[in-house]
Amino acid sequence: QVQLVESGGGLVQAGGSLRLSCAASGSIFSINAMRWYRQAPGKQRDLVAAIASGGSTNYADSVKGRFTISRGNAKNTVYLQMNSLKPEATAVYYCNADILAIGYWGKGTLVTVSS
């Protein structure tokens, strides 16, 4: 059983920052890529950022230069540093991890950016 638990969401004013965390626990043998997705009300879930096991990263164009994804030393934790937040970033943010070719999801953490 693998669990992903996100934390760090909340209410922030436009221009502010938040740092999201996601910790994986359970029967973890090897975690490959870890990703952050977000889903705004009434919209599809979109990829925000991804980090491979080797450390390479990629970002959605809308967040490049403002968001940074990173992994903890133990490699079972992933972070998303979000700076210069805009109201359109309001969404539930989900953590996703590839473990032995299976994708796992957390339950999400709500980020609300007020204008």
Side-chain angles (χ1 to χ4, degrees):
Q1 189 83 14
V2 174
Q3 286 187 320
L4 300 179
V5 179
E6 302 98 335
S7 61
L11 174 64
V12 63
Q13 287 188 333
S17 299
L18 280 176
R19 187 187 193 220
L20 305 184
S21 300
C22 171
S25 62
S27 301
I28 301 171
F29 300 99
S30 177
I31 301 178
N32 294 321
M34 298 188 79
R35 306 174 185 90
W36 286 98
Y37 287 78
R38 66 186 178 189
Q39 187 167 20
K43 296 189 176 181
Q44 67 181 21
R45 191 173 299 187
D46 292 326
L47 177 66
V48 175
I51 184 166
S53 57
S56 60
T57 59
N58 66 280
Y59 297 91
D61 288 343
S62 60
V63 306
K64 283 181 180 176
R66 298 184 298 113
F67 289 15
T68 303
I69 188 170
S70 61
R71 292 177 74 160
N73 291 334
K75 304 299 183 185
N76 67 327
T77 304
V78 65
Y79 306 98
L80 186 67
Q81 177 67 43
M82 306 186 293
N83 298 328
S84 302
L85 282 161
K86 302 176 181 180
E88 51 263 42
T90 295
V92 177
Y93 284 70
Y94 296 91
C95 177
N96 167 268
D98 289 341
I99 301 172
L100 296 178
I102 299 174
Y104 293 89
W105 292 89
K107 294 183 178 180
T109 185
L110 177 63
V111 172
T112 303
V113 184
S114 63
S115 57

